[in-house]
Amino acid sequence: QVQLVESGGGSVQAGGSLRLSCAVSGYTDGDNDMGWFRQTPGKEREWVASIRTREGATYYTSSVEGRFTASRDNAKNTIYLQMNRLKPEDTAMYFCAAGPLGSGSTVAMYDYWGQGTQVTVSS
């Protein structure tokens, strides 16, 4: 049974930092895409970043490039999203997801999702 469990969300002031974690269990070994997405009420889920689990290559949407960093610890089966210089527009529920290599920014390609963790950034 595949499980993804996010943690690390919270409330911060603009300019602050948070680190999200996503603990993964039951997913296959090998090279996969792990994605970070976010969603606000009434809007579609938005891709934020993704990381390839074997080679560690990372990809970011332009609005977070240079502020957010995705990483992974394969020994702990955990991926992270370090978020710096947070802005009020980063406020959202953040989700991690697991999918086959090449899933990239496409929501429908991801097979498994966590329950989400709320990030709130105040001005």
Side-chain angles (χ1 to χ4, degrees), residues 21-85:
S21 300
C22 174
V24 184
S25 61
Y27 200 51
T28 58
D29 294 331
D31 205 4
N32 302 292
D33 275 5
M34 297 295 299
W36 286 101
F37 293 80
R38 63 188 180 188
Q39 190 170 23
T40 54
K43 293 190 176 181
E44 293 187 353
R45 196 162 291 190
E46 174 193 22
W47 173 71
V48 175
S50 54
I51 183 168
R52 296 195 164 175
T53 54
R54 181 168 290 169
E55 64 177 279
T58 54
Y59 306 89
Y60 302 94
T61 192
S62 58
S63 63
V64 308
E65 185 88 48
R67 299 189 297 121
F68 290 12
T69 304
S71 61
R72 90 275 191 232
D73 185 333
N74 290 341
K76 294 182 178 179
N77 292 325
T78 301
I79 64 167
Y80 304 96
L81 186 67
Q82 177 67 43
M83 306 186 295
N84 297 328
R85 291 184 280 135

Side-chain angles (χ1 to χ4, degrees), residues 7-13 17-20 83 86 90-92 94 117-122:
S7 61
S11 297
V12 295
Q13 290 192 327
S17 298
L18 285 172
R19 188 177 81 154
L20 306 184
M83 306 186 295
L86 282 160
D90 295 319
T91 295
Y94 282 72
T117 186
Q118 178 68 37
V119 171
T120 303
V121 185
S122 59

